Amino acid sequence: MPTRIFGEPIKRAEDPRLLTGRGRYTDDIDLPGQLHVAFLRSPLAHARIRSIDVSAAREMPGVVTVWTYADIGPCQRRMPLLIPHPDLTHPYTRYALAKDEVNHVGEPVAMVIAESRYLAEDAVEAIVVEWEELPPVVDIERAVQPGAPLVHEELGTNVAAHYVGIVGDPEGAFSRAAHVFRERLIIERSAGMPIETRAIVAVWNDVEGVLEVWDTTQAPIVIRNALAALFGLAPTQVRVIAPDVGGGFGCKIMVYPEEVLVPYAALTLRRPIKWTEDRLEHFVGTNHERLQIHDAEIAVDAEGRILGIRDRFLHDAGAYTPYGIIVPIITACQLPGPYKVPNYHVEFRAVYSNTVPVSPYRGAGRPHAAFVMERLLDRVADELGLDRAEVRRRNFIQPHEFPYDVGLIFQDGAPTRYDSGNYPGMLDLLLQQMDYDRLVREELPRLRAEGRFVGVGIACYVEGTGIGPYEGATVRVEPTGQVYVATGMPQQGQAHKTVLAQIVAEELQVPVGSVQVFEGDTAHFQFGSGTYASRSAVVCGSAVALAARKVREQGLQLAAEELEVAVEDLVVEDGRVYVRGAPERGFTWAQLAQLANPLRYAYAGDLVVRPRPWTGPTLPPGKQPSLEATEYYSPPHATWASGAVGMLVEVDIETGQLHIRKLWVVHDCGKMINPMVVEGQVHGGIAQGIGGAFYEKLHYDDNGQLLNASFMDFLMPTAMEIPRMEIAHQETPSPLNPLGVKGVGEAGAIPMPAVVAAAVEDALRPFGVRITRMPLDPDQLWRMTHPESS
Amino acid sequence: MKPPRFRYYAPHSLEEALAVLAEMADEAKPLAGGQSLIPMLNMRLARPSLLIDLNGLHELSGIELDNGALVVRAMTRHRAVERSPLVAEHTPLLAEAIRWVGHLPIRTRGTVGGSVAHADPAAELPGVLMALDGTVQLTSRRGQRLVPAEDFFIDLLTTAAEPDELVTEVRFPSLPSRTGTAWLEVARRHGDYALVGVGAVVSLAEDFTTVTEARLSFIGVGGRPVRARLAEAALRGQPVAAETWRAAAATVRGEIDPAGDIHASAEYRRYVAGVLAERALALAAERAREGARQ
Amino acid sequence: MTAVGTERRVIRVVVNGVPYEREVEARLLLSDFLRHELGLTGTHVGCEHGVCGACTVLFDGEPVRSCLFLAVQADGHAIETVEGLAPSESELHPLQLAFWEKHGLQCGYCTPGMLMVLKAFLAEHPNPTEEEIREAISGNLCRCTGYQNIVEAALSAAQLMRQS
């Protein structure tokens, strides 16, 4: 019997290094002769630069040089627009160092290069800038009013993009609806906030003639390509490595100013250069996400079946649009969730403001979408006197209705087409896990009779995962028996080295420990885009599987030739390829790799090389001297994962404190490669989602100053705030890819604002409040329950 | 986020420390546990030219009873207070409140004197000191003085200590018998500075049905820890009853004047101060009864 | 009085049992000293204002934030970092074993701080409840795991350590 490796909760290959302090994160790299960078960043949200005087800073102890826009050569061009979109009619990207205007607090203005970070920070303080203040644009609702001050004067508008998506006949649906309900729903600004900030180390390797860059990026190939183009180097002359990366959550995928400036300094000064973002810089220098203001309405028939949805929303783009309008597009496409919405009108404006730019953060527009949809359904249930679970059940897309077309074009340019799912099954599993009927009929009334404000919420969601364009992988069996795997995707904690090894080990039936995965280093793999959008397992995993299958075929073919049997008579088991029923007739994978390579000189291997009669070239045309394959996988479109969560909360109405008493999760990411890793992903997403529901909000004041740019005041939950989670799995394989897998990276984060809102609203029913804004906080809960006091 | 340049001096005795402080008070900053000062250095919000590190001064460390009062010397770490049986027995309010200070690795390093001298209005120790009518011992080359907590805490991060004076110990007077205490607070996350916190002290008459004296000390509701004097006065002689505590809450709300910030509004803090007062008074009274029973 | 104190100082510290002598700037943070002077990069830096806990090390056996600690203050003291946790090259500490077994880490960035604070905590509380563990690690932020598997790992490590 083949050994099952795919699907097993195998311990991670990454861990022994990371547990013993032998991880290698970017800031851990110190090179001889290394210089350090600190940036002067704009203290103002919107201003013109009248003058910059760096002369005193240049004279400071230990300072090598100080650069402004004038000094940065090829980096003077505008930063790239990474993802254009036809509706992004007014894109705008920044200069690596501000040229004549700054558009948010934190924008890099000057760059000090010194012998230490301490000295560099000293010199930053000696730079003198004369500013001409411009009116800051912070409130996006005001920003779209006529006559509002403009973030970018030359665009003539603060609206970067106006998108309209229409499915069916929304107007007709609303005109014949039994009921129409409207909500204004807001999700506030937040950020991914990995515990490791960004960092870059760059050095010109004069021996090899290669620019070497270690970068905390989620997309080293993208950075490599950008640097080669910018500096006129061949791509092979630039090597970008994302070593161990301490969390990403979306904000580490970008081409940030520092990512071109630090390598440029290494090229120019011919010294190793390091920049490590500090936490204060991170708050104002690394992209944010989340703020959207929705005006949504739902039309239903008398039984609560959805006839149509209309949603118009404003999306805060921040000061620039380097990542296009991916986030609001995802919101628009995913808003219908697991429900049939036959008629749908969605429209958004992406609006500039003098704040940190917005790009995806775990969830990437989906928590907003789920919040809107689930809030609308809760409203329908409450207004029609239906159970909230029942309303969902009535509107689910049914298992036989796949593939199901939502009718809009998704973020990747492909149709928003759900490939598979079992939403009723998912909800049933959740309700069973919650013991929903007993909870609602017995436990809640009992607790409420004790005077407790307890409530239950549920929320369902889908997630389009595993988008293209493609990823690739090389798999090679080494003559020493190890299996080499290389991909272009780096990880930030998602266990690629383990799960990709499991895929290969399953195909070749070798011990998982013999598979070594190399990732995130452009010297190992040159093509691909990076780690984002819950796509690693799907896109990269499939490429790895295809390559491993090809190698398996090569091994079988070779063994068949050597043993003079048919391929069909061979089995692959226990790390060997052998004749069915005659295990002694066969080879280990190492032996096959040796056989494949007709070397003149025998070398370390366990195979006795037989002299062969001459038959022509030793390596005939079409043959390769290795068991090796490089394959690419490009999905036709996204594969759609789904999930449902349930929550029991208690509110202390006298202090506004929220206590999550129970949290149940069902998720469906198709076939699981490693359930332990899947659960870890779900746990982490949920914790971030809870952060976004009750703790984390970036507070800008009217001047565009970020008021809580520290871990003292930006409140990421601790172990005391995150409850125990009970997780159940449903596995609905994807028909789209060779593994049947779907992504899970963002899953947990998506439904949390929706479910917290639902549960809190239920707990506060005696007060008749509606939860329409996330995150909540104690003050808001107290106001809702004490209208007379506030 | 690297500290600006400064000179560093580690005196071997209190006398040395005071001598240097007397000379250089304007530009020097004493370094106790550093859990508030070093973040300010890292953010370059504090720029002393000289740091006087008190951490080597073992004479400033220790907990003992003196004439019935609990004396905690300035460089005693929060963890030492947390672990001290003497504190638990003699000053349970301090033992209860200290667990709310930051987190374990903060309490390992943070000191009682440092916290009192820093005078953050949302910090627990100043609130406890106020609740217990404690005193702060200030020492300089000029001599030593004892300042009541009420006079010591002036405003946000501002105390009665002169630049050449060091906080060398704090004293928590003993409480009468049939007295219970309680510390309650509401914070956004566990370990955060309190949105509102309260220390309650309730003394009961011999029959346990009447309040003879009560104190309420709040943190997070002003520029300094705040005693609710009106509520305290009104509580005297009142019966031990839920209505009494509720009435006290109302009085509290009338007499305090908190400010709002991004974490909570002034109105919220005012209301919750009342809620916590009500709960803490009830708990303290209950403990007064239980303590007498044991 | 002439200038008191110095901007540089020679310090002697013992880190993971190894004595070091270095001349350092007075303002050098202990976190930077460990990482960039001694090359002990297992101790991570996440916020430099004492909230995230990634830089937690043991100072004379007690957990402290190395970002809120000057290197000069460590003069004459003993520091323990994650590099000193495993008993040998080939063995892991029970905490490390349990974190591996229970998937108590993802990106690994907060992990050294978690391990160090738990080492000190479990030494004092060999049989903790889940709630006590949660409180003990509440000064250490993790953005990946949602803490559940860290708590599981700590409970499991406590059990392993009680058995041995």
Side-chain angles (χ1 to χ4, degrees):
Chain A
M1 282 287 288
T3 307
R4 187 178 130 107
I5 304 164
F6 185 104
E8 293 297 308
I10 288 170
K11 286 196 294 181
R12 303 199 325 160
E14 288 85 350
D15 291 359
R17 286 170 54 254
L18 300 178
L19 284 164
T20 51
R22 287 182 290 123
R24 189 56 77 224
Y25 300 84
T26 303
D27 185 62
D28 297 348
I29 296 161
D30 282 323
L31 300 174
Q34 176 176 283
L35 297 173
H36 297 260
V37 171
F39 288 94
L40 172 71
R41 291 172 185 275
S42 173
L44 299 170
H46 199 190
R48 251 178 228 118
I49 299 168
R50 282 213 187 110
S51 67
I52 307 181
D53 181 357
V54 299
S55 54
R58 282 195 175 127
E59 298 309 312
M60 295 281 285
V63 172
V64 173
T65 190
V66 181
W67 285 350
T68 64
Y69 177 79
D71 306 306
I72 57 175
C75 301
Q76 282 185 331
R77 69 167 84 163
R78 277 191 194 277
M79 301 298 292
L81 170 59
L82 297 169
I83 308 178
H85 188 281
D87 290 335
L88 179 59
T89 50
H90 295 75
Y92 209 84
T93 61
R94 70 166 92 230
Y95 293 106
L97 290 175
K99 187 180 178 193
D100 39 31
E101 187 176 318
V102 289
N103 284 295
H104 67 86
V105 170
E107 181 151 14
V109 174
M111 176 178 181
V112 174
I113 305 171
E115 297 290 343
S116 81
R117 172 74 184 213
Y118 289 72
L119 295 168
E121 289 191 22
D122 293 347
V124 164
E125 297 184 321
I127 299 172
V128 182
V129 183
E130 202 188 339
W131 302 101
E132 178 191 339
E133 291 197 42
L134 297 170
V137 178
V138 180
D139 179 338
I140 56 170
E141 293 189 276
R142 286 221 299 267
V144 295
Q145 299 301 320
L150 297 175
V151 176
H152 304 295
E153 194 73 42
E154 59 269 49
L155 295 183
T157 174
N158 285 322
V159 177
H162 182 193
Y163 166 96
V164 181
I166 293 173
V167 177
D169 172 21
E171 301 313 312
F174 274 80
S175 66
R176 67 173 188 273
H179 307 277
V180 172
F181 305 108
R182 290 183 182 82
E183 293 284 7
R184 185 173 173 76
L185 298 159
I186 299 172
I187 289 214
E188 305 272 11
R189 185 175 270 250
S190 187
M193 212 54 66
I195 308 297
E196 183 208 35
T197 54
R198 293 187 293 122
I200 301 144
V201 174
V203 61
W204 174 255
N205 179 337
D206 215 19
V207 178
E208 306 284 345
V210 171
L211 175 65
E212 294 170 343
V213 181
W214 290 265
D215 185 337
T216 52
T217 181
Q218 294 173 228
I221 295 172
V222 171
I223 300 295
R224 192 277 308 260
N225 295 347
L227 295 178
L230 198 58
F231 302 140
L233 294 167
T236 46
Q237 281 182 289
V238 184
R239 180 183 181 189
V240 177
I241 303 164
D244 291 318
V245 176
F249 316 116
C251 69
K252 286 178 178 170
I253 184 162
M254 186 52 47
V255 180
Y256 283 105
E258 301 88 350
E259 290 179 301
V260 298
L261 292 169
V262 172
Y264 180 62
L267 273 181
T268 311
L269 301 174
R270 296 291 158 113
R271 299 264 303 263
I273 311 283
K274 175 188 277 189
W275 170 73
T276 300
E277 184 182 58
D278 68 32
R279 186 54 64 182
L280 297 187
E281 288 183 282
H282 183 86
F283 270 100
V284 295
T286 293
N287 291 357
H288 298 168
E289 213 233 63
R290 294 284 193 262
L291 176 61
Q292 287 180 358
I293 302 170
H294 288 255
D295 285 298
E297 47 189 341
I298 187 167
V300 291
D301 68 14
E303 280 77 47
R305 285 191 188 80
I306 301 167
L307 301 176
I309 286 177
R310 278 196 296 235
D311 181 36
R312 291 182 175 82
F313 68 95
L314 296 180
H315 169 83
D316 184 359
Y320 303 101
T321 50
Y323 213 77
I325 48 173
I326 286 291
V327 173
I329 290 279
I330 295 174
T331 305
C333 291
Q334 290 212 198
L335 196 137
Y339 311 107
K340 281 183 269 194
V341 179
N343 304 291
Y344 178 37
H345 176 119
V346 62
E347 181 169 355
F348 69 78
R349 282 175 289 171
V351 183
Y352 285 113
S353 61
N354 289 113
T355 60
V356 170
V358 161
S359 66
Y361 155 40
R362 194 178 206 169
R366 300 173 183 92
H368 323 53
F371 182 62
V372 172
M373 189 68 209
E374 296 296 296
R375 290 280 67 209
L376 290 175
L377 283 179
D378 283 344
R379 179 82 190 280
V380 168
D382 294 355
E383 297 274 359
L384 271 56
L386 295 168
D387 182 273
R388 287 175 166 188
E390 177 57 25
V391 163
R392 286 165 171 82
R393 205 176 273 122
R394 288 183 190 179
N395 285 290
F396 278 141
I397 297 159
Q398 296 300 308
H400 66 270
E401 293 177 291
F402 293 93
Y404 181 90
D405 265 300
V406 171
L408 295 174
I409 298 300
F410 197 46
Q411 58 154 322
D412 53 354
T416 304
R417 180 176 296 161
Y418 301 171
D419 53 327
S420 68
N422 180 358
Y423 308 144
M426 172 181 89
L427 182 62
D428 286 346
L429 187 54
L430 178 77
L431 299 182
Q432 187 187 328
Q433 199 191 3
M434 294 170 75
D435 202 353
Y436 184 76
D437 287 340
R438 195 193 58 80
L439 185 64
V440 171
R441 298 222 173 88
E442 293 170 30
E443 194 166 348
L444 283 185
R446 181 177 63 74
L447 291 166
R448 285 171 177 161
E450 292 172 12
R452 293 170 177 274
F453 293 90
V454 290
V456 169
I458 54 173
C460 304
Y461 66 95
V462 296
E463 185 196 354
T465 71
I467 56 168
Y470 70 90
E471 291 295 327
T474 296
V475 173
R476 181 171 68 234
V477 179
E478 306 284 16
T480 46
Q482 289 101 340
V483 184
Y484 167 90
V485 179
T487 84
M489 286 190 130
Q491 69 165 315
Q492 305 82 40
Q494 301 93 332
H496 292 176
K497 285 186 195 301
T498 308
V499 297
L500 298 180
Q502 282 179 261
I503 293 169
V504 174
E506 174 84 23
E507 297 293 342
L508 302 184
Q509 288 293 299
V510 294
V512 71
S514 69
V515 184
Q516 291 161 352
V517 177
F518 292 80
E519 53 177 344
D521 179 348
T522 58
H524 280 281
F525 207 84
Q526 308 244 356
F527 294 94
S529 55
T531 300
Y532 56 92
S534 303
R535 66 194 286 277
S536 297
V538 179
V539 189
C540 189
S542 294
V544 165
L546 293 176
R549 286 173 192 178
K550 193 103 168 232
V551 167
R552 181 187 163 107
E553 283 166 26
Q554 291 169 358
L556 282 166
Q557 194 61 45
L558 185 58
E561 287 166 19
E562 288 291 325
L563 298 167
E564 297 178 338
V565 296
V567 165
E568 296 71 40
D569 296 330
L570 294 171
V571 290
V572 180
E573 264 181 49
D574 297 332
R576 297 176 75 241
V577 179
Y578 60 85
V579 178
R580 194 184 317 275
E584 71 288 352
R585 289 188 63 203
F587 300 101
T588 64
W589 278 104
Q591 289 169 331
L592 287 169
Q594 293 161 37
L595 273 173
N597 189 356
L599 277 177
R600 174 157 191 152
Y601 305 104
Y603 68 105
D606 58 358
L607 191 70
V608 179
V609 180
R610 290 176 290 148
R612 294 167 193 240
W614 181 86
T615 55
T618 327
L619 193 65
K623 293 273 186 187
Q624 60 183 29
S626 57
L627 301 179
E628 179 181 42
T630 296
E631 288 291 319
Y632 295 89
Y633 173 72
S634 180
H637 56 80
T639 173
W640 292 75
S642 60
V645 292
M647 186 181 268
L648 172 64
V649 301
E650 177 166 2
V651 178
D652 177 348
I653 64 157
E654 291 295 81
T655 62
Q657 291 287 55
L658 175 69
H659 174 48
I660 301 174
R661 294 172 62 126
K662 290 269 192 181
L663 175 52
W664 302 271
V665 187
V666 174
H667 81 99
D668 186 342
C669 61
K671 302 290 280 180
M672 291 188 286
I673 305 169
N674 183 327
M676 185 182 80
V677 169
V678 166
E679 286 194 10
Q681 289 294 312
V682 174
H683 287 164
I686 283 175
Q688 281 183 321
I690 290 172
F694 201 68
Y695 298 97
E696 297 166 14
K697 174 189 170 182
L698 290 166
H699 292 260
Y700 272 104
D701 71 8
D702 293 342
N703 293 316
Q705 294 291 334
L706 185 56
L707 299 179
N708 59 335
S710 87
F711 280 0
M712 299 288 287
D713 292 313
F714 180 75
L715 308 170
M716 293 192 288
T718 77
M720 294 295 276
E721 283 75 51
I722 301 300
R724 183 161 274 277
M725 312 162 209
E726 292 177 28
I727 298 187
H729 305 289
Q730 178 179 276
E731 287 188 274
T732 310
S734 170
L736 299 182
N737 62 67
L739 297 172
V741 298
K742 302 178 177 184
V744 71
E746 296 166 275
I750 298 168
M752 299 316 291
V755 75
V756 170
V760 168
E761 193 175 89
D762 189 44
L764 300 184
R765 274 188 201 276
F767 302 93
V769 300
R770 292 219 303 275
I771 307 291
T772 57
R773 178 185 279 262
M774 278 283 148
L776 295 167
D777 60 35
D779 194 308
Q780 290 180 60
L781 293 186
W782 170 73
R783 277 168 198 281
M784 288 173 192
T785 53
H786 297 77
E788 73 293 346
S789 304
S790 54
Chain B
M1 290 180 71
K2 307 297 183 190
R5 287 166 58 180
F6 51 76
R7 279 172 291 119
Y8 171 85
Y9 173 62
H12 298 289
S13 67
L14 177 60
E15 206 182 324
E16 281 182 21
L18 294 174
V20 171
L21 199 55
E23 289 293 323
M24 317 199 45
D26 293 343
E27 50 177 321
K29 185 87 187 162
L31 173 61
Q35 303 301 286
S36 298
L37 176 57
I38 297 185
M40 289 167 72
L41 291 171
N42 290 358
M43 296 182 191
R44 299 196 175 206
L45 296 172
R47 296 171 172 278
S49 61
L50 176 68
L51 276 192
I52 303 172
D53 186 354
L54 308 178
N55 284 280
L57 304 183
H58 300 294
E59 60 199 284
L60 285 185
S61 187
I63 303 169
E64 66 196 17
L65 284 182
D66 177 28
N67 263 335
L70 182 85
V71 177
V72 181
R73 282 202 275 278
M75 289 300 292
T76 307
R77 312 282 173 193
H78 289 122
R79 277 294 275 165
V81 171
E82 199 177 338
R83 287 168 171 151
S84 162
L86 201 58
V87 171
E89 192 196 331
H90 185 269
T91 315
L93 185 66
L94 176 59
E96 192 175 14
I98 201 87
R99 296 179 57 86
W100 289 87
V101 178
H103 303 98
L104 176 59
I106 298 291
R107 299 197 294 270
T108 298
R109 194 65 187 161
T111 66
V112 170
S115 174
V116 167
H118 185 57
D120 190 300
E124 286 79 7
L125 278 171
V128 172
L129 204 58
M130 284 284 280
L132 298 176
D133 287 327
T135 51
V136 179
Q137 184 194 65
L138 292 172
T139 308
S140 71
R141 253 188 138 179
R142 295 175 287 122
Q144 213 163 55
R145 58 180 180 134
L146 284 176
V147 182
E150 181 64 57
D151 301 328
F152 179 79
F153 298 108
I154 293 173
D155 203 348
L156 181 76
L157 313 184
T158 308
T159 71
E162 297 293 333
D164 68 336
E165 285 181 313
L166 282 179
V167 172
T168 40
E169 63 183 42
V170 294
R171 292 181 158 249
F172 301 90
S174 63
L175 292 168
S177 52
R178 296 184 306 278
T179 296
T181 62
W183 184 270
L184 292 178
E185 68 177 69
V186 171
R188 286 296 272 116
R189 294 174 301 185
H190 180 82
D192 281 340
Y193 276 114
L195 296 177
V196 187
V198 65
V201 180
V202 176
S203 301
L204 302 181
E206 278 181 26
D207 62 359
F208 295 105
T209 59
T210 313
V211 176
T212 55
E213 198 208 335
R215 299 180 223 163
L216 288 167
S217 167
F218 293 92
I219 61 172
V221 300
R224 43 166 269 168
V226 172
R227 283 279 290 270
R229 302 285 180 190
L230 296 178
E232 292 177 7
L235 279 160
R236 235 165 267 138
Q238 293 298 308
V240 174
E243 301 78 59
T244 301
W245 320 135
R246 200 167 308 135
T251 312
V252 163
R253 290 182 186 120
E255 68 175 305
I256 61 169
D257 186 21
D261 62 20
I262 59 169
H263 299 304
S265 63
E267 301 80 56
Y268 171 89
R269 286 186 158 94
R270 183 191 306 279
Y271 186 87
V272 172
V275 172
L276 294 184
E278 189 177 337
R279 292 177 182 177
L281 287 167
L283 188 56
E286 179 62 30
R287 286 173 176 172
R289 258 194 303 244
E290 277 173 9
R293 252 187 256 128
Q294 282 163 5
Chain C
M1 187 182 275
T2 55
V4 179
T6 52
E7 284 200 12
R8 297 189 72 82
R9 247 182 165 223
V10 174
I11 60 169
R12 289 172 196 83
V13 294
V14 175
V15 183
N16 302 328
V18 179
Y20 296 89
E21 182 176 321
R22 291 284 193 284
E23 191 190 312
V24 298
E25 231 189 325
R27 62 171 164 167
L28 183 69
L29 298 173
L30 178 60
S31 46
D32 285 334
F33 174 74
L34 292 169
R35 291 175 48 75
H36 303 301
E37 297 287 326
L38 303 187
L40 295 169
T41 53
T43 298
H44 297 155
V45 172
C47 73
E48 291 183 310
H49 53 284
V51 184
C52 79
C55 69
T56 306
V57 300
L58 302 188
F59 175 78
D60 293 340
E62 299 260 28
V64 300
R65 310 292 207 214
S66 61
C67 77
L68 300 188
F69 209 111
L70 303 173
V72 290
Q73 294 187 285
D75 187 21
H77 293 273
I79 307 284
E80 197 181 329
T81 70
V82 68
E83 287 92 342
L85 193 55
S88 74
E89 280 285 309
S90 56
E91 293 168 280
L92 294 176
H93 186 275
L95 271 165
Q96 293 167 319
L97 284 170
F99 268 64
W100 193 12
E101 185 72 41
K102 300 290 182 186
H103 190 25
L105 65 155
Q106 290 181 27
C107 79
Y109 202 77
C110 74
T111 311
M114 289 283 182
L115 293 171
M116 298 319 284
V117 81
L118 280 168
K119 184 188 179 191
F121 171 75
L122 292 181
E124 204 168 331
H125 303 89
N127 198 2
T129 63
E130 171 171 345
E131 192 65 11
E132 286 166 340
I133 287 170
R134 286 184 179 269
E135 188 175 350
I137 61 169
S138 64
N140 292 66
L141 295 175
C142 171
R143 201 62 166 158
C144 294
T145 65
Y147 303 105
Q148 185 150 321
N149 289 347
I150 294 177
V151 173
E152 298 290 345
L155 284 166
S156 166
Q159 195 179 8
L160 281 173
M161 289 161 78
R162 285 196 305 274
Q163 283 162 357
S164 62

